[in-house]
């Protein structure tokens, strides 16, 4: 073996430590340069982010209000009677969607899920949450209204709808959890509950009256 081979091998072996040294150095030091970015794709785009300023607009804000009348996709709302339960300030006196057996069945199901916990399955205000709160006797509980007693009993359908949508006094709003068609389904069902809880013999079809006696 010629004499110069040994030092060359030594140099090469030493050189293999150089990348390792760079890597170790990179782990302990900070660089202000951007990271090496081989494929830019669409990663870096000139844009304004939310809350940033933008000199293009007179008010200097990058975030813009939607143009008045803009409707988000899938959010085209029916008229006020259906979305708010009122026309102007007046609550609607009729359910503004067709009342069908399906709607009532849906309303019954939804009422059981969202309302009966407090108001009870018949709407008398004696749901399991109310009973439990009473048994705790903490004295801070506002009992859920009996839907068959005043003032709730005489409320027009639009008012019931609005109660679901925005809540009332101590009752929270259920609008965010219950979509518009389901709110009306519940209203229709509450109206049916009203009738069922205040039914007289005259409400029973003649052919069934005998069986009741
Ligand atoms: C967490 C318990 C709770 C749930 C669930 C609940 N309510 Fe209530 N509700 C109340 C309480 C409490 C009141 C009385 C609020 C007050 O008087 O401060 C009330 C009042 C009402 C009233 C009477 C409003 C009036 O005109 O005076 C109606 C109607 C009503 N709720 C309907 C509903 C319907 C429909 C649902 C289901 C979507 C529902 N509530 C779900 C607690 C609840």
């Amino acid at each position: 073996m010629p004499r110069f081979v040994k030092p060359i091998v030594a140099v090469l072996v030493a050189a293999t430590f150089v990348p390792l040294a760079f890597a170790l150095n990179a782990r302990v030091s900070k660089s202000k340069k951007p990271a090496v970015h081989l494929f830019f794709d669409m990663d870096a785009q000139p844009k304004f982010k939310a809350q940033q300023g933008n000199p293009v607009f007179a008010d200097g804000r990058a975030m813009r209000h939607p143009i008045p009348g803009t409707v988000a996709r899938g959010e085209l709302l029916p008229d006020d009677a259906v979305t708010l339960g009122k026309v102007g300030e007046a609550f609607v006196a009729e359910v503004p969607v067709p009342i069908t057996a399906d709607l009532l069945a849906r309303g019954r199901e939804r009422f059981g899920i969202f309302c009966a916990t407090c108001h009870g399955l018949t709407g008398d205000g004696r749901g399991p949450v109310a009973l439990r709160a009473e048994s705790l006797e903490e004295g801070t509980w506002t009992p859920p209204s009996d839907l068959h007693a005043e003032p709730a009993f005489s409320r027009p359908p639009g008012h019931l709808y609005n109660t679901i949508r925005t809540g009332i006094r101590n009752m929270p709003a259920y609008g965010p959890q219950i979509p518009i068609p389901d709110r009306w389904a519940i209203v229709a069902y509450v109206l049916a509950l009203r009738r069922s809880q205040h039914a007289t013999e005259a409400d029973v079809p003649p052919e069934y009256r005998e069986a009741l006696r």
Side-chain angles (χ1 to χ4, degrees):
M1 186 165 60
R3 267 204 306 149
F4 60 87
V5 171
K6 250 190 198 168
I8 285 180
V9 168
V11 167
L12 286 179
V13 167
T16 60
F17 286 96
V18 172
L20 187 65
F22 273 113
L24 288 177
N25 179 48
R27 290 197 58 84
V28 295
S29 62
K30 284 200 172 132
S31 163
K32 285 220 185 295
K33 286 191 218 146
V36 178
H37 205 143
L38 291 184
F39 300 103
F40 276 94
D41 293 335
M42 287 162 69
D43 293 355
Q45 307 168 38
K47 63 172 176 256
F48 290 100
K49 292 191 173 157
Q51 316 291 354
Q52 270 185 347
N54 182 342
V56 169
F57 297 107
D59 62 7
R61 293 192 293 187
M63 286 167 89
R64 312 308 307 159
H65 284 294
I67 294 163
T70 305
V71 176
R73 216 183 158 121
E75 305 245 316
L76 182 60
L77 295 172
D79 57 8
D80 281 1
V82 176
T83 44
L84 303 177
K86 47 187 173 182
V87 178
E89 284 305 303
F91 291 109
V92 295
E94 301 281 334
V95 173
V97 299
I99 298 185
T100 60
D102 282 350
L103 188 81
L104 285 174
R106 176 80 180 168
R108 178 177 163 163
E109 185 208 33
R110 297 289 110 179
F111 184 90
I113 294 170
F114 288 105
C115 321
T117 40
C118 290
H119 290 282
L121 284 171
T122 60
D124 62 0
R126 318 240 348 118
V129 173
L131 295 182
R132 163 101 175 124
E134 257 172 46
S135 73
L136 291 178
E137 290 182 347
E138 287 181 344
T140 50
W141 171 248
T142 305
S145 307
D146 176 354
L147 303 185
H148 307 299
E150 297 301 347
F153 185 68
S154 304
R155 299 287 200 198
H159 193 281
L160 295 177
Y161 176 90
N162 193 60
T163 300
I164 300 174
R165 187 175 80 91
T166 62
I168 189 164
R169 302 185 302 272
N170 283 295
M171 177 183 141
Y174 284 87
Q177 293 172 53
I178 306 178
I180 293 170
D182 283 351
R183 293 179 209 158
W184 284 116
I186 293 175
V187 170
Y189 182 66
V190 169
L191 297 181
L193 275 181
R194 269 186 194 170
R195 269 199 85 170
S196 77
Q197 299 301 301
H198 294 262
T200 63
E201 204 180 300
D203 290 310
V204 183
E207 62 270 33
Y208 294 106
R209 278 181 209 163
E210 203 46 50
L212 278 181
R213 292 218 168 86

